[in-house]
Amino acid sequence: TPSKEGKMFIKALFDYDPNEDKAIPCKEAGLSFKKGDILQIMSQDDATWWQAKHEGDSNPRAGLIPSKHFQERRLALRRPEIIVQPLKVSNRKSSGFRRSFRLSRKDKKTNKSMYECKKSDQYDTADVPTYEEVTPYRRQSNEKYRLVVLVGPVGVGLNELKRKLLISDTQHYGVTVPHTTRARRSQESDGVEYIFISKHLFETDVQNNKFIEYGEYKNNYYGTSIDSVRSVLAKNKVCLLDVQPHTVKHLRTLEFKPYVIFIKPPSIERLRETRKNAKIISSRDDQGAAKPFTEEDFQEMIKSAQVMESQYGHLFDKIIVNDDLTVAFKELKATFDKLETETHWVPVSWLH
Ligand code: 5GP
């Protein structure tokens, strides 16, 4: 049960198996965990190895886990795009961190030179996911709903699921009205299909970061504004937003408290079986008619899902496999019911 005063909880953003860790002083003392697990920190006395246990685990024995700092550094070193500066070993007494760090390197020749970031802010630690401090959160009945972000590869059925949700309760769920610079068609009304604005205003709004995402199609701009999300939430509705996963990190604010659902394809065999007679609209910017799925579409969907999961998996609160649409929809519905009534772990920064 949450609301444990003074206790510190973290969400693990990576999988950890002490048996695979060459740096750990004692494998038996390690605590294994999976991405998404909630851990309670028992001790941070050591700079390199924290002591932790799984949240809710009644066994009082804590295990060793790599500290955030240590894990960030060794992950950053494996990523060439992150600048890490070589540092000559001085005669200074080496810290626990450096000792363990050296142990973690296999190459004997490099033992002489340590690596250290010039400044800790030289790499974006959000790009090296390790842990995030979390706290229990339960929505009060007078509070706005959390923003629900749906992500998934093209063709996975995200739009069908979204449509089914909207139809299931039009009073409860809502979607944003996008902005466009194209001319209004006779049957359209401003604020319904789109909010129609000038190119000049659109460009100014882009400059002022008013959009969550935008794109260009046939010489016109289209985009979803932050205010359009606010206006759905202000109507006391659950706002369903589908975006590219890279936009999620900009939405992770106290105001929106986004709950991110990843719609994942089943195995390629199941895709072939279940999507035999289905059709795909190949891309968002393609108004072309829906075409039957091809083998390449299936492969592309699986590959795209794998990339999304490996790059952004640490931002997902829930993964729903869309094998059978009816089953996936039930699971989605159940997820929403829980979201609105139960306690969830959210970043501590959202409650400050
Ligand atoms: P139309 O002008 O025919 O209504 O739409 C043209 C294209 O703009 C469609 O392919 C549609 O998917 C795309 N579009 C509509 N709304 C948005 C939006 O909010 N963002 C982006 N990037 N594209 C959009």
Side-chain angles (χ1 to χ4, degrees), residues 33-34 61 96 238 244 309:
F33 54 80
K34 291 258 173 258
R61 213 179 73 90
V238 176
Q244 294 293 317
E309 213 175 340

mmCIF file of all heavy atoms in Angstrom, residues 33-34 61 96 238 244 309:
data_model
loop_
_atom_site.group_PDB
_atom_site.id
_atom_site.type_symbol
_atom_site.label_atom_id
_atom_site.label_comp_id
_atom_site.label_asym_id
_atom_site.label_seq_id
_atom_site.Cartn_x
_atom_site.Cartn_y
_atom_site.Cartn_z
ATOM 1 N N PHE A 33 16.008 -7.277 -11.784
ATOM 2 C CA PHE A 33 14.725 -6.599 -12.013
ATOM 3 C C PHE A 33 14.511 -6.407 -13.496
ATOM 4 O O PHE A 33 15.424 -6.580 -14.299
ATOM 5 C CB PHE A 33 14.677 -5.253 -11.271
ATOM 6 C CG PHE A 33 15.811 -4.315 -11.573
ATOM 7 C CD1 PHE A 33 15.823 -3.541 -12.726
ATOM 8 C CD2 PHE A 33 16.875 -4.190 -10.683
ATOM 9 C CE1 PHE A 33 16.862 -2.656 -12.983
ATOM 10 C CE2 PHE A 33 17.932 -3.317 -10.939
ATOM 11 C CZ PHE A 33 17.921 -2.545 -12.098
ATOM 12 N N LYS A 34 13.271 -6.075 -13.823
ATOM 13 C CA LYS A 34 12.877 -5.834 -15.216
ATOM 14 C C LYS A 34 12.472 -4.374 -15.382
ATOM 15 O O LYS A 34 12.026 -3.738 -14.425
ATOM 16 C CB LYS A 34 11.670 -6.723 -15.582
ATOM 17 C CG LYS A 34 11.998 -8.201 -15.661
ATOM 18 C CD LYS A 34 12.144 -8.615 -17.120
ATOM 19 C CE LYS A 34 12.630 -10.028 -17.295
ATOM 20 N NZ LYS A 34 14.043 -10.134 -17.641
ATOM 21 N N ARG A 61 15.275 -8.616 3.220
ATOM 22 C CA ARG A 61 16.641 -8.620 2.709
ATOM 23 C C ARG A 61 16.730 -7.789 1.423
ATOM 24 O O ARG A 61 16.009 -8.040 0.460
ATOM 25 C CB ARG A 61 17.092 -10.050 2.420
ATOM 26 C CG ARG A 61 18.570 -10.298 2.663
ATOM 27 C CD ARG A 61 18.903 -11.756 2.368
ATOM 28 N NE ARG A 61 18.887 -12.026 0.931
ATOM 29 C CZ ARG A 61 19.960 -11.904 0.151
ATOM 30 N NH1 ARG A 61 21.107 -11.517 0.657
ATOM 31 N NH2 ARG A 61 19.876 -12.159 -1.140
ATOM 32 N N GLY A 96 35.075 4.934 -4.856
ATOM 33 C CA GLY A 96 34.431 3.643 -5.091
ATOM 34 C C GLY A 96 33.919 3.539 -6.501
ATOM 35 O O GLY A 96 34.021 2.511 -7.145
ATOM 36 N N VAL A 238 -11.566 12.344 -21.061
ATOM 37 C CA VAL A 238 -10.283 11.678 -21.225
ATOM 38 C C VAL A 238 -9.818 11.988 -22.643
ATOM 39 O O VAL A 238 -10.532 11.702 -23.602
ATOM 40 C CB VAL A 238 -10.426 10.146 -21.041
ATOM 41 C CG1 VAL A 238 -9.102 9.451 -21.305
ATOM 42 C CG2 VAL A 238 -10.925 9.822 -19.650
ATOM 43 N N GLN A 244 3.808 10.265 -32.516
ATOM 44 C CA GLN A 244 5.066 9.538 -32.667
ATOM 45 C C GLN A 244 5.701 9.433 -31.276
ATOM 46 O O GLN A 244 5.622 10.391 -30.498
ATOM 47 C CB GLN A 244 6.013 10.310 -33.594
ATOM 48 C CG GLN A 244 5.525 10.420 -35.032
ATOM 49 C CD GLN A 244 5.514 9.081 -35.729
ATOM 50 O OE1 GLN A 244 6.447 8.305 -35.594
ATOM 51 N NE2 GLN A 244 4.439 8.799 -36.436
ATOM 52 N N GLU A 309 9.978 0.042 -29.154
ATOM 53 C CA GLU A 309 10.079 -0.525 -27.819
ATOM 54 C C GLU A 309 11.485 -0.386 -27.252
ATOM 55 O O GLU A 309 11.652 -0.088 -26.070
ATOM 56 C CB GLU A 309 9.631 -1.986 -27.837
ATOM 57 C CG GLU A 309 8.972 -2.371 -26.531
ATOM 58 C CD GLU A 309 8.388 -3.772 -26.529
ATOM 59 O OE1 GLU A 309 8.140 -4.333 -27.626
ATOM 60 O OE2 GLU A 309 8.197 -4.297 -25.434
#
